[in-house]
Amino acid sequence: MVHVSILKISLRITLTVCLLAGMLTSCKPTEKGYRQAYDAAKSKREQNDPDEYLLTGGHKLLSDEASNWRVIAGDSLQMEHKYIRPADGGKWPQSGPYRLAVAMFKMTTNANSMLSDLRKGGSLQPVIATDGKDSYYIIAGSATYADSLGNVLTTFRKENPGFQYIGLTPPRPVIIVGR
């Protein structure tokens, strides 16, 4: 009888140890599990319109390289998501998170020189904006919606025929989405 109860206790202990070992191995994260979660989050992020989140105040993960293309005034323009602000404490001439960048410089001297040339006789009031990382953008205008930049782009091209989009790759205007 003692022998049977030792056998029962031994069987219970063995069974408990096996169950615990099975639970520990099944809870362990694997590279495959991490990859599946990453792919699911990435596909969800790509299905949403990033512009919608900027306008509604939502939060969204975007990599620094996140960009897409938008057709504005008959031209395909690249959209970049960056946090930029007017340089030297200036103010945006128009409101909205969409900014039309027409040039980019590494030195403020060059940016100021181009800005003064663009302001002569033009109806647009471009400003210099910075990302805080030694990049200075000439912003031709801003808008609440990306498609609204069509008027700014048309006016800019009409007032500055043959303009060279210095510092931008490819050499064409860029839409910077920021705050």
Side-chain angles (χ1 to χ4, degrees), residues 122-161:
S123 62
L124 297 175
Q125 292 300 310
V127 297
I128 297 175
T130 181
D131 62 358
K133 300 176 186 173
D134 297 329
S135 292
Y136 300 93
Y137 297 89
I138 302 293
I139 304 296
S142 304
T144 305
Y145 302 100
D147 294 334
S148 301
L149 288 175
N151 294 336
V152 175
L153 181 59
T154 303
T155 303
F156 181 82
R157 285 185 172 159
K158 189 165 112 179
E159 293 177 355
N160 303 287

Side-chain angles (χ1 to χ4, degrees), residues 19-100:
L19 286 173
L20 285 174
M23 288 185 347
L24 288 176
T25 59
S26 66
C27 294
K28 200 174 187 183
T30 62
E31 184 176 345
K32 182 180 178 183
Y34 282 124
R35 186 66 180 171
Q36 287 174 343
Y38 172 79
D39 289 340
K42 184 178 176 185
S43 69
K44 183 177 179 183
R45 182 176 67 230
E46 289 172 351
Q47 288 175 358
N48 293 326
D49 181 13
D51 305 333
E52 169 189 334
Y53 283 86
L54 286 171
L55 295 175
T56 60
H59 299 286
K60 188 174 189 180
L61 295 174
L62 290 173
S63 70
D64 290 337
E65 294 82 28
S67 65
N68 52 15
W69 293 82
R70 196 73 171 252
V71 176
I72 306 288
D75 196 4
S76 294
L77 303 182
Q78 187 174 13
M79 274 179 120
E80 294 184 5
H81 299 267
K82 294 180 186 261
Y83 290 101
I84 59 173
R85 65 183 191 295
D88 300 327
K91 293 186 178 186
W92 298 114
Q94 305 91 5
S95 64
Y98 297 92
R99 320 265 186 227
L100 184 68

Side-chain angles (χ1 to χ4, degrees), residues 11-27:
L11 185 61
R12 285 183 184 169
I13 290 173
T14 305
L15 185 59
T16 305
V17 168
C18 288
L19 286 173
L20 285 174
M23 288 185 347
L24 288 176
T25 59
S26 66
C27 294

